[in-house]
Amino acid sequence: MKLLVVIVNYRVTQLAIDCLHSVAKEIASVPGIHVAICENGSGDGSAALLRRAIDDNGWSSWCTLKVLDVNLGFTGGNNAILRPALESADKPEYFLLLNSDTIVRPNAFKTLVDFMDTNPQVGIAGSRLEDPDGTPQRSAFRFQTPLGEFEASLKLGLVSKLLSRWVVAPPVVDHAFETDWVSGASMIIRRETMEATGLLDEGFFTYFDDIDYCFNAKKQGWPTWYVPTSRVVHLVGQSTGVNNKPKRLPSYLLEARRRHFLKNHGVFYAAMVDICRIVGLSLWRLRVILTGKEDTTPPQHLSDSIRHSVFFKGFEVTDVKNPALTS
């Protein structure tokens, strides 16, 4: 098998079927491609709808469906397919994690595979993500730092200019380049990279798993690149309800954030990141109060950031609680 495309669906079944329609047009572009979709415990009849779509459209020759009874998050849903694939006799040369809320543009898969074939030292590569009208989304990032968290929280032009080296999401560019991490919405991983790095860390549940994976792959000597000639439409946040509209962030996102910094950077770094984020958000709130500026942050963002900081939640690395199991 050349390429295994993994799609995890959670209560966005029609979007997942739309995604498969776009994928179907690309199957012939990469010989030895297979698509595996994981129905991640939606509990709403999604499995039957996906089976019917696969059968009715004649996709069964290249697409298989795995059904889970419980939502295991992005990490657990992907691992349910990645684990047996890594243990099989026909291990894929590449794995491509693809969000269910995406539409694949022509040659998106082929472009990534060709890039990886041509650059054997690269471990991970990410597509250019874009809106349906072609407007690019920022999908190549720097690792978060205390100064980067301060800049992102304060959102003040002069400060952002002074701290431009630490901005987590730099402006979009049109050429391929090495970056710290790419969005897991469309991310290809070399088999040798996954064998060295391991599966996705299920302790994250959902969010920060792509950052964690690229971080640990880099520690194993496998860099990450951004390949904008591979284009994928991303309908942001459909599976989780977190998108461009300001909504209160779910606790599992904030807990995943805390886990990432404690696990990968240690206690002091995690504390500094939280301090800078809280100070930045506090100054932002002061700006809003004094100037009447529109508050574009999620509701209760400052209080939630304090509540989920290491100072309130502690300095121990803990797993993010699965809301499907704790509710």
Side-chain angles (χ1 to χ4, degrees), residues 15-247:
L15 290 180
I17 293 172
D18 292 342
C19 176
L20 287 173
H21 275 289
S22 71
V23 168
K25 300 174 184 177
E26 300 305 304
I27 294 302
S29 68
V30 180
I33 188 174
H34 184 78
V35 178
I37 183 165
C38 175
E39 205 314 283
N40 202 12
S42 297
D44 58 358
S46 292
L49 292 174
L50 288 168
R51 282 197 186 97
R52 188 178 308 131
I54 293 170
D55 292 340
D56 291 351
N57 289 283
W59 296 336
S60 58
S61 62
W62 51 264
C63 182
T64 54
L65 173 66
K66 186 178 185 66
V67 179
L68 300 181
D69 294 329
V70 177
N71 175 19
L72 299 182
F74 183 82
T75 53
N78 275 287
N79 283 349
I81 292 173
L82 296 173
R83 185 176 290 108
L86 274 176
E87 296 171 350
S88 71
D90 183 20
K91 296 180 182 179
E93 189 172 344
Y94 301 111
F95 302 88
L96 196 153
L97 310 186
L98 184 69
N99 269 27
S100 52
D101 56 356
T102 58
I103 298 294
V104 178
R105 297 289 198 195
N107 290 316
F109 294 164
K110 184 179 187 302
T111 300
L112 285 179
V113 169
D114 287 349
F115 177 84
M116 298 295 278
D117 282 346
T118 307
N119 299 275
Q121 79 285 358
V122 175
I124 299 170
S127 303
R128 163 186 149 134
L129 303 179
E130 58 188 34
D131 296 335
D133 64 0
T135 302
Q137 301 169 10
R138 300 191 185 198
S139 45
F141 306 96
R142 298 185 179 109
F143 291 131
Q144 289 89 336
T145 62
L147 289 177
E149 290 292 281
F150 178 74
E151 180 277 329
S153 300
L154 180 56
K155 293 180 285 191
L156 185 63
L158 177 61
V159 172
S160 296
K161 187 174 181 179
L162 291 172
L163 299 179
S164 59
R165 288 175 52 197
W166 292 275
V167 171
V168 173
V172 176
V173 297
D174 292 329
H175 61 270
F177 67 96
E178 183 175 348
T179 187
D180 284 341
W181 62 280
V182 291
S183 170
S186 178
M187 180 172 76
I188 192 170
I189 306 171
R190 191 181 300 276
R191 182 183 68 233
E192 292 85 355
T193 303
M194 187 167 289
E195 289 174 337
T197 309
L199 297 171
L200 302 183
D201 182 350
E202 295 186 30
F204 283 100
F205 182 66
T206 297
Y207 288 113
F208 280 83
D209 43 86
D210 42 11
I211 309 173
D212 173 79
Y213 204 86
C214 292
F215 180 87
N216 285 287
K218 188 172 184 178
K219 285 173 61 178
Q220 296 293 332
W222 292 105
T224 296
W225 277 65
Y226 170 68
V227 183
T229 47
S230 170
R231 297 171 55 196
V232 173
V233 174
H234 186 207
L235 307 171
V236 183
Q238 297 299 309
S239 293
T240 59
V242 177
N243 51 33
N244 292 327
K245 297 179 181 178
K247 295 181 181 179

